[in-house]
Amino acid sequence: MAQRIVVDPITRIEGHLRIEAEVDAQNKISKAYSSGTMVRGIEIILKGRDPREAWAFTQRACGVCTTVHSFASIRAVEDALGIKIPKAANLIRNMMVAQQYVHDHVMHFYHLHALDWVDVTGCLSADPAATADIQKAISPNYPRASAAYFADVKKKVKAIVDSGQLSIFANAYWGHPAYKLPPEVNLLATAHYLEALDAQKTFTKIHTIFGGKNPHPNFVVGGVPMPIDPNSDTALNAERLSIIKDSIDRMIQFVDQVYIPDLLAVAPYYLDYAALGEGLGNFLTWGELPDTDNSDTSKYVVPRAVIMGRDLSHIEEPDPRDFERMKEYVTHSWYEYSSGDQEGLHPWKGETKLNFTGPKPPYEQLEVEQKYSWLKAPRWAETPMEVGPLARVLAMYASGHKQTQELTDYVLKTLDAPLEAVFSTLGRTAARAIETKVFADYLLTAYNGLIDAIKAGDTDTFNGDKWEPSTWPSHAEGFGFMEAPRGALGHWCVIDNGKLSNYQMVVPTTWNASPRDHKEQAGAYEMSLVGTPLAVPDQPLEILRTIHSFDPCMACAIHMVDADGNDLGEVATGMNVCVS
Amino acid sequence: MEINGAGRKLVMGLGNTLNKDEGLGVHALALLQEKLAARAPEVEFLDGGALGLNLLPWVEEASHLLVLDSVVSRFSMPGQVMELAKDEIPLYRNIKMSDHQITFQEVLGLAKIRGHFPEYLHLVGAQPVDLSIGYGVSPEIATILPEVVERAERVLRGWGLVGRR
């Protein structure tokens, strides 16, 4: 029997993402299974509620992605009720969306993904002066580039490692043979890991101002909650606009001077990952950054697109209302459908009836021939799809978005890699950086557009024409999209007599981490791991690299304090890696 | 090492309100705020939800930080009210699949290594009984929320942040 590697972060309740991978005699992955081991079930909570308040609940569906679920929700309700939002409101929303990309991608790169490539303990042998030379070479205008600065960072890391007490950097695979960076690049990246936290603080100002309330901003069906009035203390005024402009400038500076240069400094040591981790070669986007009218997809900055089998010469626009092609399957998921588990259902007809048939935790292996995940298997035209930054960059690239084409070509040329290299773990990670640059620059464009609109007196931010339920039809169906940082998000709602009668969310990680479907087709994570060699099978760093490149959103619902900490023994390792 | 330029006095309620008792910190926060807001003008009441790393700026700007949250320990029972003093809260980082698994303890750990750690830090919480899907806490937790609020008030009083009306 093949060896099965299990990667499953343990928490105090069963949950999260679990990967089981079978390896052959050469320690290469031959098959992989991805399972969401925690049920979300927000759909059940929303039934019967006021559609105008749905965003306040969906906002909590993911503790971290509050904005994306709020936007998808209000757009779904606006779509159902035929509500158009004012121009200034759309610009403000687009700025909140674009800011979210910059914020989330920087956080993902430095605080989750970087540590897959950067050995923090590896910087202890770095020469700070040589590190400073590298910094000056990759980013000549960046101010924190002195040998003294890097010596200080090195000292900090050494203190942490030596203390053994503060294990903020503990529980990783430090020293693993798959870490390839020279000590100086490790030190450089570790310094930026810490700096990125300061940068984030300035990034969030846009949400604080436009949302009116932080950390959980306000949203409203029909527009945005903040009025524009240059002469008011409580509205969007000149002072607040200048804070926003400053925040945008800092984002652009960080992306240009830190994020992109770091990507290009680290990638050359890991070019083997330009040929690993592809997965499906099929990509889907719902599109993003509309030009005022949400229903006019031709004017989206990110197009609504399907790409099949790597074919960039042919992109098709998917219709989320297509009952035949947009379906979710539960053949291998812990749900049951009234029409039978081999059938797919369009989200408007979607059902959320839980049917856990799995083994009682803790268990050694999932029963992958049966049902094995709390995630459903969404499919477009009965085909598994990848969503996320790579899908978006490819959609923009293939549809002729000039800046995306130039940036992609620049990155490939710098790494001396062919276009095919984008279909990989490294390609996904590079695409995330490329689109961060596109969206950071877009922020400035949208900001200037907003200033022009204000000058022209176009200051409406809310359309209340259909606020009252008495103006609604007795039955309505709506689709709300959002290209969340980690990929295409869709909310499908059905409103009957003023209340929600059905609500289905198909989130990016459901696409990417989906289990097998009615035709036994594997999902994106499952396929992406096939063929990856593991240097040390019981320390599967290579699996983390590829899974992290998708930026999973899992199990963010549960955040209890663990009073015992490291005393919990097995739990403190945070990761149950067993070989059987 | 501990610099708190902004000196904010924060009560932070944590947890996800869609998983019943997971959200007990947020529900306790609302009760505490209702009870104290008029008598504790310096204190900010913050619904931190499950925002993870996004909460770091608040933590780093706080001189006083009272955390209300659900707590699990082998040494306690479901429904039991618990307090952890500053040096009893374990700080660590785990291998994780997603950045959404950044725990509040990791946020505190990051604040510490960055040299911006609250001078006064305390946690009041309870061990959850029911973490299933649903809005609002279980009946067992509902009966002990007043004790959580009372203990939280005592902590704030001890820090000299609650005046008489």
Side-chain angles (χ1 to χ4, degrees):
Chain A
M1 193 188 149
Q3 216 186 22
R4 176 97 50 99
I5 313 278
V6 177
V7 185
D8 187 6
I10 301 175
T11 57
R12 288 138 299 172
I13 69 163
E14 292 71 39
H16 304 285
L17 172 66
R18 178 183 175 104
I19 300 287
E20 296 193 4
E22 288 181 11
V23 295
D24 63 18
Q26 283 74 46
N27 288 334
K28 193 183 259 199
I29 295 173
S30 54
K31 267 186 195 163
Y33 299 89
S34 157
S35 171
T37 53
M38 188 177 76
V39 62
R40 196 183 51 227
I42 178 147
E43 290 85 354
I44 299 166
I45 292 177
L46 284 172
K47 265 193 192 175
R49 294 201 186 261
D50 185 331
R52 293 167 299 183
E53 293 169 2
W55 66 265
F57 291 89
T58 59
Q59 181 179 65
R60 307 285 172 138
C62 167
V64 182
C65 324
T66 56
T67 300
V68 304
H69 286 298
S70 301
F71 272 132
S73 179
I74 56 178
R75 281 169 167 173
V77 176
E78 287 161 359
D79 181 52
L81 302 174
I83 297 170
K84 304 274 183 229
I85 66 166
K87 182 181 180 178
N90 183 66
L91 282 165
I92 288 172
R93 282 189 186 180
N94 282 0
M95 288 172 73
M96 292 176 77
V97 169
Q99 185 275 345
Q100 189 81 29
Y101 287 113
V102 180
H103 178 272
D104 281 29
H105 286 352
V106 167
M107 182 151 108
H108 170 268
F109 182 74
Y110 286 99
H111 299 111
L112 183 76
H113 207 24
L115 303 186
D116 297 338
W117 314 100
V118 176
D119 186 341
V120 172
T121 59
C123 57
L124 298 182
S125 54
D127 172 2
T131 310
D133 289 343
I134 297 173
Q135 176 70 80
K136 284 172 201 143
I138 65 168
S139 186
N141 299 318
Y142 191 61
R144 288 172 170 172
S146 70
Y149 173 68
F150 288 109
D152 187 51
V153 173
K154 183 177 158 179
K155 208 171 105 191
K156 259 189 202 158
V157 174
K158 189 168 182 322
I160 295 163
V161 172
D162 287 350
S163 76
Q165 271 285 316
L166 187 61
S167 44
I168 194 86
F169 287 127
N171 297 321
Y173 299 133
W174 306 136
H176 192 289
Y179 281 117
K180 305 283 188 203
L181 296 181
E184 286 73 24
V185 180
N186 281 321
L187 178 56
L188 182 87
T190 303
H192 296 164
Y193 170 100
L194 294 170
E195 281 178 34
L197 295 167
D198 282 323
Q200 301 284 11
K201 289 189 199 179
T202 60
F203 295 179
T204 52
K205 293 244 156 60
I206 289 184
H207 276 232
T208 318
I209 288 174
F210 287 146
K213 171 176 168 273
N214 223 10
H216 292 98
N218 280 320
F219 295 83
V220 64
V221 169
V224 293
M226 168 150 284
I228 298 174
D229 183 349
N231 302 315
S232 163
D233 283 347
T234 55
L236 185 60
N237 53 28
E239 187 197 345
R240 292 197 164 104
L241 282 166
S242 85
I243 294 172
I244 287 168
K245 174 67 167 51
D246 179 63
S247 173
I248 293 170
D249 291 343
R250 285 166 188 262
M251 281 188 253
I252 293 173
Q253 187 192 30
F254 190 87
V255 173
D256 287 350
Q257 297 187 5
V258 186
Y259 185 10
I260 303 269
D262 281 357
L263 174 87
L264 294 173
V266 171
Y269 297 95
Y270 293 107
L271 287 177
D272 44 338
Y273 280 86
L276 284 175
E278 169 176 6
L280 302 167
N282 308 321
F283 302 91
L284 177 134
T285 59
W286 291 130
E288 192 47 85
L289 304 177
D291 180 31
T292 304
D293 183 358
N294 281 349
S295 62
D296 185 1
T297 51
S298 71
K299 295 214 173 67
Y300 287 13
V301 174
V302 180
R304 182 170 291 180
V306 156
I307 295 167
M308 292 287 193
R310 288 185 171 195
D311 183 2
L312 299 185
S313 68
H314 180 73
I315 58 173
E316 196 192 326
E317 180 174 326
D319 178 3
R321 291 167 181 75
D322 189 327
F323 278 92
E324 284 313 305
R325 289 195 277 185
M326 177 60 223
K327 283 185 177 177
E328 286 194 287
Y329 294 84
V330 295
T331 317
H332 285 284
S333 310
W334 287 311
Y335 300 90
E336 63 181 61
Y337 279 172
S338 50
S339 52
D341 293 353
Q342 287 296 317
E343 295 296 310
L345 290 178
H346 184 274
W348 277 332
K349 307 224 179 254
E351 298 172 7
T352 310
K353 187 165 180 211
L354 315 182
N355 175 29
F356 184 73
T357 58
K360 198 169 180 288
Y363 44 81
E364 282 190 8
Q365 283 191 11
L366 291 163
E367 294 157 348
V368 294
E369 308 307 320
Q370 320 284 322
K371 292 175 183 283
Y372 64 89
S373 179
W374 279 117
L375 301 182
K376 294 178 180 175
R379 295 293 184 260
W380 178 256
E382 298 196 57
T383 310
M385 311 296 288
E386 173 177 340
V387 299
L390 180 55
R392 283 191 292 263
V393 164
L394 292 174
M396 287 191 278
Y397 192 97
S399 63
H401 189 271
K402 222 171 152 34
Q403 189 190 13
T404 303
Q405 291 177 334
E406 287 168 5
L407 284 166
T408 307
D409 293 342
Y410 164 72
V411 169
L412 289 169
K413 194 167 164 244
T414 308
L415 300 177
D416 193 22
L419 182 59
E420 290 70 43
V422 300
F423 302 106
S424 66
T425 297
L426 198 58
R428 215 170 275 122
T429 299
R432 185 168 291 110
I434 288 167
E435 72 166 11
T436 305
K437 169 70 179 154
V438 171
F439 294 129
D441 288 357
Y442 169 83
L443 271 169
L444 197 54
T445 310
Y447 174 83
N448 291 330
L450 182 63
I451 297 294
D452 289 346
I454 293 170
K455 279 185 188 149
D458 210 345
T459 54
D460 276 357
T461 56
F462 175 65
N463 170 6
D465 290 352
K466 292 185 183 166
W467 179 254
E468 290 305 324
S470 57
T471 62
W472 303 349
S474 61
H475 175 85
E477 291 166 338
F479 168 70
F481 63 95
M482 159 106 201
E483 279 293 327
R486 50 199 52 73
L489 167 66
H491 285 200
W492 282 260
C493 72
V494 184
I495 301 169
D496 279 299
N497 303 315
K499 303 284 180 203
L500 290 168
S501 60
N502 198 359
Y503 203 101
Q504 296 286 328
M505 309 187 345
V506 182
V507 310
T509 301
T510 310
W511 285 100
N512 287 336
S514 89
R516 282 159 168 75
D517 59 22
H518 61 306
K519 293 163 110 178
E520 300 300 318
Q521 300 177 102
Y525 288 5
E526 298 182 328
M527 282 302 289
S528 68
L529 294 173
V530 173
T532 296
L534 302 181
V536 188
D538 63 353
Q539 295 181 17
L541 176 62
E542 298 88 343
I543 291 180
L544 292 184
R545 285 176 174 170
T546 291
I547 297 299
H548 285 167
S549 76
F550 285 96
D551 188 5
C553 166
M554 297 296 293
C556 28
I558 304 297
H559 282 253
M560 286 180 294
V561 163
D562 169 2
D564 305 340
N566 294 324
D567 292 334
L568 283 180
E570 188 180 30
V571 179
T573 67
M575 179 80 72
N576 172 21
V577 179
C578 61
V579 182
S580 56
Chain B
M1 187 80 178
E2 295 182 354
I3 309 156
N4 301 288
R8 296 169 81 163
K9 284 111 182 129
L10 286 180
V11 184
M12 201 183 267
L14 298 178
N16 194 313
T17 47
L18 300 182
N19 287 75
K20 294 194 179 164
D21 296 346
E22 229 285 319
L24 70 87
V26 175
H27 293 293
L29 178 85
L31 294 173
L32 183 70
Q33 183 168 12
E34 199 182 350
K35 192 173 176 195
L36 284 192
R39 285 182 289 144
E42 281 181 276
V43 176
E44 297 175 76
F45 297 86
L46 189 81
D47 169 5
L51 282 169
L53 195 52
N54 292 320
L55 295 172
L56 184 66
W58 278 275
V59 171
E60 294 194 341
E61 288 178 6
S63 58
H64 297 67
L65 177 61
L66 172 61
V67 179
L68 308 177
D69 200 357
S70 47
V71 184
V72 167
S73 161
R74 305 187 269 198
F75 307 110
S76 69
M77 301 288 289
Q80 185 175 332
V81 179
M82 293 171 68
E83 290 187 47
L84 295 175
K86 183 176 180 177
D87 53 8
E88 291 172 333
I89 303 173
L91 314 177
Y92 61 90
R93 176 182 194 279
N94 279 339
I95 290 177
K96 55 181 68 68
M97 297 300 255
S98 157
D99 342 89
H100 298 180
Q101 292 161 351
I102 292 179
T103 63
F104 191 66
Q105 286 142 294
E106 183 171 345
V107 172
L108 289 175
L110 278 168
K112 184 135 196 167
I113 61 171
R114 284 160 47 79
H116 305 282
F117 203 63
E119 193 178 343
Y120 297 89
L121 171 66
H122 198 84
L123 184 146
V124 180
Q127 181 152 343
V129 174
D130 181 357
L131 295 171
S132 64
I133 298 155
Y135 191 82
V137 297
S138 67
E140 293 90 332
I141 293 297
T143 61
I144 55 112
L145 277 185
E147 189 190 339
V148 173
V149 171
E150 199 164 303
R151 291 212 206 178
E153 182 180 349
R154 205 177 305 153
V155 173
L156 293 178
R157 202 178 288 282
W159 289 346
L161 296 174
V162 182
R164 289 177 198 283
R165 208 202 297 246

